[in-house]
Amino acid sequence: MALYLVGDIQGCFDELDALLIKAKFNPKQDQLWLAGDLVARGRQSLETLEFVKSLGASANFVLGNHDLHLLAIAAGLKNAKSSDHLSPLLNAPNFSSLCDWLAQHPLLLELPNQDGFMSHAGLAPQWSIKQAVKNAAFAHKKIAGKKREKWLSIMYGEQPNDWHLVTNKEERFRYTVNAFTRMRYCYADGTLDFACKEQPRKAPNGLKPWFELAKLKNKAWIFGHWAALMGDCPYKNIYALDTGCVWGNYLTMLRWHDRKQFTQQRLS
């Protein structure tokens, strides 16, 4: 069995399909894990979700900010943006069932051999890995549960951005969602920044990439979300897989056991 890890698809299904063919992915014996943001921006969000769902136990993924936003749209909490090209998905007869299936997926996955983790955005520097696992399970239970709409309505906002200022379940949920799906930069004390999306060399003084501050303890971490990095990360145990396919660049896949990368240029 081979484990294949893929960055943000964002509705670029044709590119995903071509990449799987290139890597000779076999769903009967291989695993496909996705780093979140399966939907939005690209024009094939419906095809992407239907395909990943069709793989059954051969596929797994973490939720990204665009996936969560889709759930908020489905709940009537937010309106879809025309730039996300979601109309075919929103109008599909199986839209509701796809959202129910999407909501059952976590914010954090541990690799099968327990030597690393995958999340959409990263690991909050104010957390230990043990805290991250605990808080991911807490938020997952809320998103997958019967009161999903209530918790989705709570997730929007940027405060608290300091874990030490969290005082209740609602703030814990919002911080956790933001840390796992929106974070790129942090301040020196580990508080989260949500404004800067640039490459590290262009970041304002006082901001550092989360992976320069995170307490990883030699564990590997796989993440997406940060297209501006274009896969460039100076740490050998940290893998940035969002290479901006939806922005005209390419989709990246990492075969875990030998760390071989496969890429697929944007097709349209």
Side-chain angles (χ1 to χ4, degrees):
M1 184 195 86
L3 174 61
Y4 292 93
L5 311 168
V6 180
D8 302 34
I9 302 168
Q10 291 218 13
C12 296
F13 174 70
D14 286 344
E15 289 78 5
L16 174 64
D17 187 48
L19 193 56
L20 293 173
I21 292 171
K22 182 184 293 188
K24 298 181 180 180
F25 170 76
N26 182 352
K28 293 182 179 180
Q29 63 184 34
D30 299 329
Q31 287 276 312
L32 176 66
W33 285 23
L34 310 171
D37 279 4
L38 280 66
V39 303
R41 307 292 179 149
R43 297 182 180 274
Q44 295 174 294
S45 291
L46 174 60
E47 292 88 342
T48 300
L49 292 185
E50 288 182 332
F51 172 72
V52 175
K53 186 179 180 183
S54 76
L55 292 176
S58 296
N60 208 347
F61 60 88
V62 293
L63 295 174
N65 53 301
H66 283 291
D67 306 316
L68 289 170
H69 188 65
L70 177 68
L71 294 178
I73 293 170
L77 300 170
K78 293 289 180 178
N79 295 319
K81 300 176 182 178
S82 59
S83 59
D84 284 341
H85 305 294
L86 290 173
S87 292
L89 174 57
L90 300 179
N91 295 321
N94 59 342
F95 175 58
S96 180
S97 63
L98 285 172
C99 286
D100 288 340
W101 165 78
L102 190 72
Q104 299 307 307
H105 288 78
L107 295 172
L108 180 67
L109 285 170
E110 185 172 9
L111 297 178
N113 53 11
Q114 299 182 329
D115 66 350
F117 294 84
M118 169 187 276
S119 66
H120 181 59
L123 171 64
Q126 292 181 331
W127 281 343
S128 65
I129 289 179
K130 184 177 180 180
Q131 286 177 304
V133 170
K134 184 177 180 179
N135 286 303
F138 162 79
H140 170 60
K141 185 176 181 180
K142 304 304 184 187
I143 296 167
K146 294 181 179 180
K147 296 182 179 181
R148 183 197 312 164
E149 292 183 11
K150 169 194 170 182
W151 290 98
L152 291 174
S153 70
I154 290 169
M155 73 176 175
Y156 289 94
E158 299 182 351
Q159 297 299 323
N161 67 338
D162 186 335
W163 176 243
H164 303 110
L165 298 181
V166 169
T167 61
N168 55 50
K169 290 182 179 180
E170 290 77 13
E171 291 178 348
R172 179 186 179 188
F173 179 79
R174 187 182 305 115
Y175 179 94
T176 298
V177 167
N178 282 338
F180 279 124
T181 70
R182 295 184 59 210
M183 173 186 66
R184 294 183 181 91
Y185 285 99
C186 301
Y187 294 93
D189 63 357
T191 55
L192 310 181
D193 170 78
F194 304 110
C196 185
K197 301 180 181 181
E198 299 289 345
Q199 298 172 350
R201 62 185 176 83
K202 296 181 180 179
N205 290 334
L207 290 182
K208 293 184 177 296
W210 67 267
F211 45 76
E212 290 189 9
L213 300 170
K215 304 176 182 72
L216 287 170
K217 293 186 177 180
N218 298 318
K219 294 284 188 178
W221 207 278
I222 298 97
F223 72 104
H225 185 56
W226 199 343
L229 288 178
M230 285 301 293
D232 185 17
C233 184
Y235 299 92
K236 292 183 179 180
N237 62 326
I238 301 178
Y239 300 85
L241 295 185
D242 183 5
T243 43
C245 182
V246 76
W247 305 115
N249 295 309
Y250 52 89
L251 193 64
T252 293
M253 171 188 284
L254 176 66
R255 189 168 63 197
W256 186 241
H257 70 269
D258 60 1
R259 306 303 195 266
K260 181 176 180 180
Q261 287 199 1
F262 302 83
T263 61
Q264 174 58 51
Q265 204 69 30
R266 182 71 189 269
L267 297 173
S268 60

